[in-house]
Amino acid sequence: MAHQAPVLVLDGPPGAGKTSLLARMVCALGDDAIWFTEPNARLVSGLAAPVHPSPAGHTLWFLRHELDKARAMRHLAADPATSLLISDRNHLGALAYCYATRAEDSLPYRTARDFYARRIAPELPETVLTAILLVSPDQSLSRRGKVAELPRWKQWFDEGLLERLHTFYTDIAPTLCPTPPVIIDTDGSRREAVLAQVAGVLADAGLDFTARRLTSAAATPARPTLDERFADAYTQLGGLEAFGHPFTPAIAHRGGTVQLCQLGALYRDPTGHTQLWNPLADPVRRAA
């Protein structure tokens, strides 16, 4: 039987702990994993820009990106050098926003849901697993300092939006996953307990060795600094506005060095060339 690596998707409301979990997983698994950072129209290459700067235009871009990613995952999962693919969000993020937002120029939820059902769902690999991390609106705000650091992030601090997102991920999202998801309530949960539940999902999928590596992994720094090797590229490509803050240290990966940020990542290949991390356009394979 041909190799098909499982694809683990992490999704949920802001502040649920997805970024911290992804950082721990990426640092622990190293060359054995390929991951996708959160989709970001400001950074991605090889795809059309949003048709216009409205929420509807951005959501359409996001859904097209998820369609391309679903197709790419089938090929990446077949790479014997990869034991696991990890994705920070997928179509659930776009659908959750359409359901929760009250912006007049947003894409109707039914339109977004139908795009998923007709276009994305048939392309998803059979090995997709989903972990939905839940957090109450109050905890979501507290964990993120209660105030948006940049004006364009302000909507994600609206309590009404957060309440509707919680409802979506609790009641609706499980019906929009290719297989039943594991739902993890992170209110009051220690990070090690959340990690153990995700490791259990992987163990159930036959990745016992990967699960053991995760549960024995050391915690990553709460707010790593940007590695100086990436400073120029980070600034030139938009800095904090485009990337957000780093959430992993610079780590060796498949012959090069990579550092993940909240909204994207930078990769430095063995020749010293720095570029955006984008497995859709240029998969990074195991170093020889």
Side-chain angles (χ1 to χ4, degrees):
M1 185 168 150
H3 172 80
Q4 284 293 314
V7 179
L8 177 66
V9 176
L10 306 176
D11 220 308
K18 299 183 302 298
T19 299
S20 298
L21 177 61
L22 180 61
R24 191 114 171 226
M25 297 183 74
V26 166
C27 292
L29 299 180
D31 288 354
D32 289 342
I34 286 287
W35 62 89
F36 297 88
T37 54
E38 186 168 339
N40 186 343
R42 293 169 178 252
L43 293 176
V44 77
S45 60
L47 292 170
V51 290
H52 51 78
S54 70
H58 188 80
T59 301
L60 285 170
W61 175 87
F62 196 119
L63 291 169
R64 292 197 302 269
H65 178 277
E66 291 308 312
L67 176 59
D68 279 8
K69 187 166 72 176
R71 290 168 174 164
M73 281 177 169
R74 288 185 177 274
H75 300 289
L76 293 171
D79 181 358
T82 301
S83 63
L84 178 67
L85 275 70
I86 311 171
S87 178
D88 186 358
R89 294 196 182 280
N90 65 353
H91 60 275
L92 292 179
L95 298 177
Y97 175 78
C98 292
Y99 177 86
T101 186
R102 293 296 181 263
E104 294 182 358
D105 54 353
S106 64
L107 190 71
Y109 170 69
R110 179 174 293 182
T111 302
R113 185 197 61 196
D114 289 349
F115 185 102
Y116 160 72
R118 292 196 319 270
R119 305 285 300 279
I120 299 174
E123 299 290 345
L124 289 170
E126 296 177 359
T127 54
V128 170
L129 309 168
T130 308
I132 296 175
L133 275 60
L134 285 177
V135 63
S136 66
D138 181 64
Q139 279 292 308
S140 173
L141 291 170
S142 297
R143 291 176 183 178
R144 296 179 295 135
K146 298 193 175 183
V147 178
E149 192 171 1
L150 294 176
R152 72 184 183 91
W153 298 345
K154 185 176 180 180
Q155 66 175 326
W156 301 108
F157 288 77
D158 177 83
E159 191 165 355
L161 179 78
L162 294 173
E163 289 172 351
R164 292 187 292 273
L165 286 174
H166 191 277
T167 298
F168 174 86
Y169 281 111
T170 302
D171 300 338
I172 301 173
T175 69
L176 299 169
C177 298
T179 56
V182 59
I183 299 179
I184 304 171
D185 190 338
T186 68
D187 274 18
S189 297
R190 297 175 65 247
R191 292 179 179 178
E192 285 72 15
V194 175
L195 184 69
Q197 291 188 67
V198 173
V201 173
L202 298 180
D204 290 343
L207 296 181
D208 297 273
F209 177 68
T210 300
R212 288 195 297 270
R213 287 177 63 184
L214 285 183
T215 53
S216 63
T220 55
R223 180 64 69 84
T225 58
L226 182 71
D227 190 279
E228 62 181 14
R229 290 170 290 183
F230 294 124
D232 288 344
Y234 178 89
T235 300
Q236 292 166 7
L237 291 168
L240 181 66
E241 182 76 20
F243 281 96
H245 293 285
F247 68 85
T248 71
I251 57 174
H253 191 272
R254 302 194 176 192
T257 305
V258 68
Q259 185 164 21
L260 275 67
C261 299
Q262 292 165 306
L263 301 172
L266 288 163
Y267 178 75
R268 188 178 181 88
D269 67 23
T271 68
H273 177 66
T274 299
Q275 58 194 3
L276 287 169
W277 171 269
N278 185 5
L280 272 68
D282 186 24
V284 180
R285 297 185 177 274
R286 185 186 295 276

